Amino acid sequence: MGVRGLHGFVGSSCPQVCTEVNFRELAEQHRSEHPGRAPTIVVDAMCCLRYWYTPESWVCGGQWKEYFSVLEDFVRTFTAAGIRLVFFFDGMVEQDKRDEWVRRRLKNGREIARIFHYLRAHGEQPGRSMFFIPSGLAVFTRFALKTLGQDTMCSLQEADYEVAAYGRQNGCLGILGEDTDYLIYDTCPYFSISELCLDSLTTIMLCRQKLCASLGLSLPDLPLLACLLGNDIVPEGTFETFRYKCLSSYTSVRENCDKKGSVVFAVADHISKVLRSHQGERKLEEMLPLGPNKALFYKAMASYLLPGQKSPWISQTPKAVTTLDKQEVPMSSDPESKQEVPTNLEPEIKQQVTMVSDTEILEVARARHVQAESYLVYSILTSGEVECSNTLEDALDRALPSQAFVYRPVRQRVYSLLLADGHGGAGSCPAVREWFVYPGNPLRHPDLVRPLQMSLPGGTPSLRQLWLSQEPGAQAQRVEVLLACLDLSASREELQALESPFRTLCCLLIYLFMQVDALCLEDLHAFLAQALCLQGKSAGQLADLQLDHVDPRAVQLGSLLVRGLTTLVLVNSACGFPWRTSELMPWNVFDGKLFHEKYLQSARGCSAEALVEQSRSRLARFHQLKSIVCKACLGEGRRIVSQQLWRPHHTGRWGRQGPGSHRTSSGHSRSSQGQYWRDQGPGSRHHESDPWRRHAPSSGWSN
């Protein structure tokens, strides 16, 4: 994240930039200087996820009660010191940073492959050096913080810009994060989350003024330095030749200098000497191989300019302003200017084009997005583009399909609900561009996914009806639409009779077991038993659980369920919140390590009594929930059977051999087993037809 090589440079070659500070002392000083104004720290939450996730177990799907307890302690400590926290989360990926997003996702995919290789070889969780955050952590952290009463925001662009702007405009005590871009922005002080000691409330402040003094630069020069070194917009290789020339010139006059750290010194030296000379701008144009990257380069520099700021490296007149996405880049009309923003920026000039035209609906969606109350809805309505990062999925287990495919039919119905209003029905809706990470997907382009029409008595209600209506029957209608998105309308009465959080769990399990034939009765027992036992366990008790071994399949099942919960958050948001968002949170229905324990017990043939830890009340509830799930699946032609009934015939560890029965939502069966998953693999562009309701275990992905 941030500027290439700058973090390592500061640590090894420029340690004077770093100063230890105490937040309690800073807060006291702030109160004395600004009476009546609470000291505020703006937190880049995406940078803090690894710091916050301290539970020992991470591979099994997330220790959510433990994690929530960690967040409570974090908030409580700052609150006790009289410090207000404002949290920002990334709301969407900007197009200029899509290539970088893809590069990181592919790198994460390789890391996940190594994790599963380790699991198969050793049967235990890898060490912290291979740590990978549990699926859905960023999504659920938003709602956890809101539950804890914190100001939580979701950005309308890359979060670091909004964090820096908020910190500057509101006179904040500082920014807490881990991104060297905060050394480049001219904003409030930047503090390191990785160096934070919560007990003492001390951390490291990275001072951009001291960085400038060490490099012989001024604050307005830092964006140019960042772009020449490479950042999330300018690829690292763009100026590699230029940096080599700077380094060669720099090291030729300095003996015994460290070449790695000297790259930053050399580029800074070139900026401060050559580019500040009378011919500096012309030299810049001559030495940089801008070519088609010229517009990108100037846009990258302008991306560091906060509202009201100007750059000496971008010629500017007040009458000529070009809008690039959400940044304003001053341009010069002076023909003598050597460094005006080039005219080929014009193709970048655009106004926001949305997928729907109802401005009131867009305003509601925007407000819910900014306040971190919804998930993905605003992106669908405005850009028709969504993304989902890596999930702990085993590319070699071809029995279990990726969560991206399992929940795609739900997303397709949500797309229909959100987009059909302005397009005369789902059939004429535009495709949504999905950047979903799954094994074998090279992410060269998004999957184009067509909305899928729902079957509802009286037709699909408008968003105005769902979101704005206060009529007596509106809430019941919202629930009806939510269940239709999951294709669970037939089980409405049984599900509505359940209390939270078991209603959520049963909805998800019915959907999963009707979608994936590889799931067996033992899996159902494990999911139900862990949810029931979870209710009576504290975070400390869950932390003390010890596993005999870790099973790769159970790891993927844990991630599959958690991704199902994030999908339910999307559905609930799109339907106007028929259920309380708190009902959908994982700390109420899932613990990865507890699930793993129950999975191993169930696979060994443990009785229901043993699974629910000899509790008579839990046993009664276990049989009730199991009956609801099995009855709903049987009504759709899906009989959940024990692994013992089909294990001798499987093609993989858990699969069944031969053609499976795949039912569409219209009830017609298909026998061409596996074809749907192969069609969904890398390279496929359009996904328009109604997906099959169930997917046999031997289908897998194209790799």
Side-chain angles (χ1 to χ4, degrees):
M1 297 175 67
V3 183
R4 303 287 192 273
L6 188 55
H7 184 272
F9 166 79
V10 168
S12 62
S13 303
C14 212
Q16 63 270 28
V17 171
C18 304
T19 304
E20 184 174 285
V21 294
N22 185 291
F23 278 129
R24 290 188 178 93
E25 295 173 0
L26 292 177
E28 284 299 324
Q29 180 181 344
H30 185 278
R31 277 188 286 267
S32 65
E33 295 174 355
H34 307 279
R37 187 197 301 177
T40 300
I41 294 177
V42 54
V43 183
D44 186 335
M46 302 301 288
C47 295
C48 300
L49 296 178
R50 287 175 177 267
Y51 175 88
W52 287 328
Y53 193 87
T54 58
E56 180 183 349
S57 178
W58 49 268
V59 81
C60 297
Q63 304 307 110
W64 296 99
K65 269 194 176 181
E66 291 182 60
Y67 181 65
F68 189 88
S69 178
V70 170
L71 292 177
E72 274 187 307
D73 289 342
F74 184 88
V75 168
R76 186 185 302 116
T77 302
F78 278 93
T79 301
I83 299 173
R84 173 177 173 247
L85 299 174
V86 178
F87 298 87
F88 274 83
F89 287 81
D90 277 330
M92 53 190 64
V93 178
E94 294 184 13
Q95 290 307 311
D96 289 332
K97 298 192 177 183
R98 178 63 70 186
D99 289 346
E100 177 63 18
W101 184 90
V102 167
R103 186 188 69 80
R104 292 177 185 171
R105 302 293 81 75
L106 296 177
K107 178 177 180 288
N108 289 345
R110 294 190 292 271
E111 293 172 355
I112 289 173
R114 287 195 292 270
I115 289 171
F116 277 99
H117 177 78
Y118 186 95
L119 292 175
R120 285 189 294 272
H122 300 280
E124 64 182 16
Q125 176 177 282
R128 192 76 179 188
S129 63
M130 296 179 71
F131 172 73
F132 196 88
I133 63 172
S135 301
L137 191 69
V139 176
F140 294 120
T141 302
R142 296 186 211 169
F143 296 104
L145 292 169
K146 291 189 77 67
T147 299
L148 293 170
Q150 297 303 293
D151 291 321
T152 308
M153 316 285 282
C154 201
S155 69
L156 292 168
Q157 58 194 98
E158 199 75 14
D160 57 4
Y161 180 87
E162 295 194 17
V163 167
Y166 186 95
R168 178 182 173 87
Q169 292 170 346
N170 294 277
C172 290
L173 190 64
I175 292 167
L176 186 59
E178 203 69 30
D179 188 335
T180 46
D181 276 335
Y182 295 127
L183 266 175
I184 306 301
Y185 288 110
D186 185 2
T187 181
C188 59
Y190 162 40
F191 305 109
S192 168
I193 181 64
S194 66
E195 299 293 334
L196 174 65
C197 175
L198 195 61
D199 290 338
S200 62
L201 270 186
T202 57
T203 189
I204 296 298
M205 180 178 73
L206 293 92
C207 179
R208 60 186 69 88
Q209 286 82 3
K210 289 183 179 179
L211 176 65
C212 287
S214 301
L215 297 176
L217 300 177
S218 59
L219 285 177
D221 297 328
L222 291 179
L224 176 58
L225 174 70
C227 294
L228 294 176
L229 293 175
N231 55 22
D232 289 352
I233 297 179
V234 180
E236 185 176 14
T238 305
F239 299 113
E240 187 172 4
T241 302
F242 167 78
R243 291 194 297 271
Y244 178 77
K245 289 180 179 179
C246 290
L247 184 61
S248 298
S249 174
Y250 182 77
T251 56
S252 66
V253 296
R254 288 169 174 81
E255 297 180 357
N256 303 321
C257 63
D258 173 28
K259 287 196 173 183
K260 187 174 181 181
S262 293
V263 170
V264 180
F265 279 124
V267 173
D269 183 69
H270 186 82
I271 293 173
S272 63
K273 291 181 179 178
V274 179
L275 300 184
R276 284 189 184 279
S277 68
H278 179 68
Q279 297 297 322
E281 286 123 347
R282 187 174 62 82
K283 288 285 186 181
L284 175 64
E285 296 290 344
E286 289 176 357
M287 293 191 68
L288 299 183
L290 290 177
N293 298 311
K294 198 171 188 178
L296 187 65
F297 175 72
Y298 284 107
K299 183 173 182 180
M301 280 208 295
S303 71
Y304 288 109
L305 300 182
L306 302 178
Q309 294 180 342
K310 298 178 180 180
S311 169
W313 298 105
I314 303 176
S315 301
Q316 40 213 313
T317 58
K319 295 183 179 179
V321 175
T322 298
T323 300
L324 298 178
D325 292 335
K326 299 176 183 66
Q327 303 292 328
E328 289 192 343
V329 184
M331 292 180 62
S332 173
S333 57
D334 180 2
E336 297 299 318
S337 172
K338 299 292 193 301
Q339 195 166 328
E340 64 179 272
V341 178
T343 56
N344 64 352
L345 279 176
E346 292 179 3
E348 297 282 337
I349 303 171
K350 62 182 181 181
Q351 294 180 339
Q352 188 179 39
V353 178
T354 61
M355 303 286 280
V356 297
S357 57
D358 191 324
T359 55
E360 186 175 6
I361 286 296
L362 287 173
E363 287 173 4
V364 172
R366 185 183 188 277
R368 290 174 176 173
H369 172 91
V370 169
Q371 295 301 319
E373 296 171 352
S374 66
Y375 173 57
L376 293 183
V377 169
Y378 187 66
S379 295
I380 296 167
L381 290 174
T382 54
S383 66
E385 187 170 43
V386 293
E387 55 271 323
C388 180
S389 189
N390 303 75
T391 302
L392 279 177
E393 296 176 331
D394 187 0
L396 299 184
D397 184 351
R398 301 178 69 84
L400 289 174
S402 169
Q403 65 87 20
F405 299 140
V406 171
Y407 299 112
R408 178 173 281 171
V410 180
R411 299 194 302 275
Q412 287 180 283
R413 296 184 187 103
V414 169
Y415 300 156
S416 171
L417 177 67
L418 294 176
L419 302 179
D421 268 1
H423 295 89
S428 57
C429 285
V432 173
R433 301 184 300 281
E434 288 192 346
W435 292 93
F436 272 60
V437 181
Y438 51 85
N441 183 7
L443 294 172
R444 296 191 185 97
H445 51 69
D447 290 329
L448 303 181
V449 179
R450 292 287 181 187
L452 180 63
Q453 185 69 49
M454 286 184 288
S455 177
L456 280 165
T460 304
S462 69
L463 292 183
R464 280 181 167 269
Q465 289 175 274
L466 288 174
W467 292 10
L468 306 177
S469 175
Q470 301 296 323
E471 295 297 320
Q475 191 67 0
Q477 187 179 47
R478 294 180 186 113
V479 172
E480 184 178 14
V481 176
L482 180 147
L483 294 175
C485 287
L486 298 167
D487 209 3
L488 297 180
S489 298
S491 303
R492 179 173 57 251
E493 291 184 9
E494 292 88 345
L495 292 170
Q496 281 293 91
L498 288 173
E499 73 277 14
S500 171
F502 300 114
R503 174 174 55 187
T504 297
L505 180 67
C506 283
C507 280
L508 193 47
L509 291 178
I510 294 169
Y511 178 83
L512 277 176
F513 278 80
M514 289 198 297
Q515 286 287 321
V516 185
D517 264 351
L519 296 176
C520 61
L521 195 61
E522 286 76 8
D523 299 330
L524 177 60
H525 288 173
F527 279 126
L528 292 175
Q530 67 86 29
L532 289 164
C533 293
L534 176 63
Q535 309 307 310
K537 294 188 185 296
S538 68
Q541 289 173 313
L542 293 167
D544 290 338
L545 283 177
Q546 299 297 319
L547 299 175
D548 295 335
H549 70 278
V550 175
D551 185 290
R553 181 177 183 273
V555 167
Q556 184 160 340
L557 287 183
S559 294
L560 185 61
L561 186 91
V562 171
R563 284 298 189 194
L565 291 172
T566 64
T567 303
L568 282 177
V569 174
L570 164 63
V571 175
N572 196 50
S573 304
C575 295
F577 304 97
W579 292 346
R580 294 190 307 274
T581 305
S582 60
E583 295 184 39
L584 313 177
M585 296 298 104
W587 44 87
N588 294 323
V589 293
F590 181 78
D591 178 89
K593 193 161 54 171
L594 183 59
F595 167 70
H596 220 94
E597 179 185 70
K598 301 304 177 185
Y599 176 92
L600 297 175
Q601 292 173 351
S602 184
R604 291 198 302 265
C606 287
S607 66
E609 291 86 347
L611 290 175
V612 298
E613 302 172 3
Q614 311 302 327
S615 167
R616 185 171 298 179
S617 61
R618 284 199 291 262
L619 182 63
R621 179 55 60 89
F622 175 91
H623 286 302
Q624 177 201 15
L625 300 179
K626 175 182 174 181
S627 175
I628 290 173
V629 175
C630 289
K631 177 184 175 183
C633 291
L634 192 60
E636 298 292 332
R638 162 70 155 113
R639 183 167 174 257
I640 304 174
V641 299
S642 168
Q643 59 180 322
Q644 302 300 326
L645 296 181
W646 46 268
R647 175 179 273 182
H649 309 291
H650 65 51
T651 57
R653 181 178 176 190
W654 297 92
R656 281 187 285 180
Q657 192 174 17
S661 173
H662 305 279
R663 230 177 48 76
T664 66
S665 59
S666 60
H668 299 104
S669 64
R670 301 178 185 242
S671 60
S672 53
Q673 181 213 27
Q675 185 61 45
Y676 174 67
W677 292 132
R678 285 191 290 271
D679 289 346
Q680 301 303 296
S684 58
R685 295 301 301 269
H686 289 273
H687 308 290
E688 304 180 14
S689 59
D690 185 350
W692 299 349
R693 283 281 306 283
R694 283 162 48 205
H695 310 290
S698 61
S699 50
W701 308 280
S702 300
N703 289 313

